[in-house]
């Protein structure tokens, strides 16, 4: 009944409620803002009759239950469609562009028919690539990438290259995406924070591109656990510390780009372990020490850029 009220309050049955279409939660219901909002309807809070009599309109918390943002149908479980709708809401979907808006705001649009979404043979979401969508445009309250995207268990590709207005950080929960092959958040200059250590759990990852964004902190040693990774591009960020020695464990790596990252320390001595490496770019950092002599034994290496550092030896 409450869901029907939510849908009928200045919303028709084919259009999701937009911000501003709010109605206070009834006693015994709650939401983070105390009202129906773009995150979903008010959800029931289990209470005894005596407790219920003490409650007022607009409750924002429930002592016995957490609010499930995006749970539109109130069943306590987020469907893939509801998860994607959270992504739309969190990144100010109405500003993505009209081609996206007319489909994403229509609850009758099937998940696999959403622009920027690709599905597998059983209708499961496998890729999020809303090319040309203006994520987080025109809004100062963009909430960034929802952690609930990690519930898309079949997801293989997240491609948000060039989303320069996208704010927030990479959720640590992304480490649960066991089937993820490609994570591209390059040219997302408003993304900040550190690379979560949980990224080392993405054992299927083959391409990780976070270049030309706003990341900082140290590079996690857990990167070395990505044994299937072929491309690692973290260039043009503001990291601190040194290149973790664990990168030399990434035996499938062909492209290693860590240029203009403000990195210090030495080039890892065992860099020659990366026998499939074709491109090594470390220029524009503050690296010191000598260039490892065993680089000359890397037969697959086609490009080596280490200029504009503080290295003390010439190429071997």
């Amino acid at each position: 009944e409450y869901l029907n009220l939510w849908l009928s309050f200045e919303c028709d049955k084919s259009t999701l409620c937009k911000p501003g279409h709010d109605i206070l939660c009834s006693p015994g219901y709650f939401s983070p803002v105390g009202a129906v909002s773009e995150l979903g309807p008010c959800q029931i809070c289990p209470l005894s009759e005596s407790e219920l009599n003490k409650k007022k309109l607009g409750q924002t918390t429930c002592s016995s239950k957490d609010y499930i943002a995006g749970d539109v149908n109130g069943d306590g479980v987020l469907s893939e469609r509801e998860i994607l709708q959270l992504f739309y809401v969190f990144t100010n979907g109405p500003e993505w562009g009209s081609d996206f808006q007319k489909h994403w705001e229509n609850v009758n649009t099937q998940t696999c028919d959403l622009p920027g979404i690709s599905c597998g043979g059983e209708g499961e979401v496998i890729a999020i690539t809303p090319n040309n969508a203006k994520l987080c445009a025109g809004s100062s309250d963009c909430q960034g990438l929802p952690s609930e995207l990690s519930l898309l268990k079949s997801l293989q590709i997240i491609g948000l290259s060039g989303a320069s207005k996208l704010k927030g950080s990479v959720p640590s929960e992304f480490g649960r995406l066991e089937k993820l092959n490609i994570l591209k958040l390059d040219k997302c200059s408003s993304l900040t924070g550190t690379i979560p250590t949980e990224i080392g759990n993405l054992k299927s990852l083959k391409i990780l591109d976070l270049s030309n964004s706003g990341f900082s902190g140290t590079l996690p040693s857990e990167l070395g656990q990505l044994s299937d990774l072929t491309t690692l591009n973290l260039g043009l960020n503001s990291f601190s510390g040194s290149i973790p020695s664990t990168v030399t464990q990434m035996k499938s790596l062909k492209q290693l780009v860590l240029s203009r990252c403000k990195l210090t320390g030495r080039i890892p001595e065992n860099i020659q372990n990366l026998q499939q490496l074709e491109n090594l770019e470390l220029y524009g950092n503050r690296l010191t020490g000598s260039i490892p002599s065993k680089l000359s034994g890397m037969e697959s290496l086609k490009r080596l850029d280490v200029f504009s550092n503080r290295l003390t030896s010439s190429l071997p």
Side-chain angles (χ1 to χ4, degrees):
E1 292 180 1
Y2 207 81
L3 175 61
N4 292 331
L5 175 62
W6 177 68
L7 289 173
S8 65
F9 189 75
E10 296 190 24
C11 308
D12 60 39
K13 293 185 178 180
S14 65
T15 305
L16 291 173
C17 258
K18 300 181 178 64
H21 294 170
D22 302 333
I23 187 170
L24 290 177
C25 297
S26 299
Y29 291 80
F30 77 109
S31 83
V33 296
V36 176
S37 74
E38 69 272 19
L39 296 179
C42 298
Q43 297 174 10
I44 193 168
C45 180
L47 297 170
S48 66
E49 185 175 348
S50 60
E51 290 175 320
L52 183 58
N53 291 334
K54 297 177 183 178
K55 292 296 181 181
K56 300 178 181 179
L57 291 170
Q59 294 294 317
T60 59
T61 60
C62 177
S63 60
S64 58
K65 180 182 176 183
D66 292 329
Y67 186 82
I68 304 176
D71 183 18
V72 175
N73 62 11
D75 64 357
V77 179
L78 289 177
S79 67
E80 292 196 331
R81 181 67 171 88
E82 289 173 328
I83 292 169
L84 292 173
Q85 201 62 35
L86 264 185
F87 172 57
Y88 182 79
V89 169
F90 274 38
T91 56
N92 199 22
E95 299 296 330
W96 286 13
S98 57
D99 289 343
F100 292 96
Q101 186 177 11
K102 64 184 179 183
H103 296 287
W104 281 75
E105 292 192 5
N106 188 334
V107 294
N108 292 323
T109 302
Q110 297 299 309
T111 300
C112 300
D113 293 331
L114 292 170
I117 300 300
S118 300
C119 293
E122 298 182 1
E124 73 283 13
V125 175
I126 61 171
I128 300 175
T129 55
N131 297 330
N132 301 317
K134 299 176 182 178
L135 274 63
C136 293
S139 175
S140 60
D141 58 356
C142 170
Q143 299 179 64
L145 298 170
S147 60
E148 288 82 359
L149 289 177
S150 65
L151 300 175
L152 299 172
K153 297 302 183 182
S154 298
L155 192 61
Q156 299 175 25
I157 300 172
I158 297 178
L160 303 177
S161 300
S164 61
K165 302 295 183 181
L166 179 62
K167 297 181 181 179
S169 58
V170 177
S172 61
E173 290 84 355
F174 276 19
R176 302 172 187 167
L177 293 168
E178 296 179 355
K179 295 185 178 181
L180 197 67
N181 296 148
I182 299 173
L183 177 58
K184 289 179 66 65
L185 298 173
D186 54 301
K187 303 181 185 69
C188 296
S189 55
S190 297
L191 270 182
T192 58
T194 60
I195 299 175
T197 58
E198 290 82 0
I199 208 161
N201 297 330
L202 302 177
K203 300 302 172 56
S204 299
L205 201 63
K206 291 180 170 55
I207 297 176
L208 176 60
D209 190 348
L210 307 180
S211 62
N212 200 5
S213 295
F215 294 103
S216 59
T218 58
L219 299 182
S221 61
E222 288 79 3
L223 287 170
Q225 299 173 19
L226 303 176
S227 58
D228 287 343
L229 200 71
T230 61
T231 298
L232 176 61
N233 189 346
L234 305 178
L236 286 166
N237 279 287
S238 297
F239 296 116
S240 59
S242 60
I243 302 171
S245 60
T246 53
V247 300
T248 62
Q249 300 171 15
M250 304 163 76
K251 300 299 179 62
S252 300
L253 207 59
K254 295 183 178 181
Q255 309 285 333
L256 177 57
V257 181
L258 301 175
S259 51
R260 298 173 68 180
C261 285
K262 301 183 179 180
L263 294 169
T264 58
R266 304 173 68 92
I267 298 174
E269 286 294 329
N270 293 327
I271 195 75
Q272 77 277 1
N273 290 346
L274 303 178
Q275 285 299 311
Q276 296 189 50
L277 197 65
E278 298 176 358
N279 182 29
L280 177 59
E281 297 182 33
L282 303 175
Y283 65 85
N285 286 296
R286 302 166 186 168
L287 300 175
T288 56
S290 59
I291 299 173
S293 59
K294 294 183 179 180
L295 274 176
S296 58
M298 299 176 69
E299 296 180 358
S300 297
L301 196 63
K302 299 175 181 177
R303 176 176 177 177
L304 172 63
D305 283 341
V306 294
F307 67 88
S308 193
N309 277 288
R310 301 171 183 175
L311 300 170
T312 57
S313 67
S314 57
L315 290 174

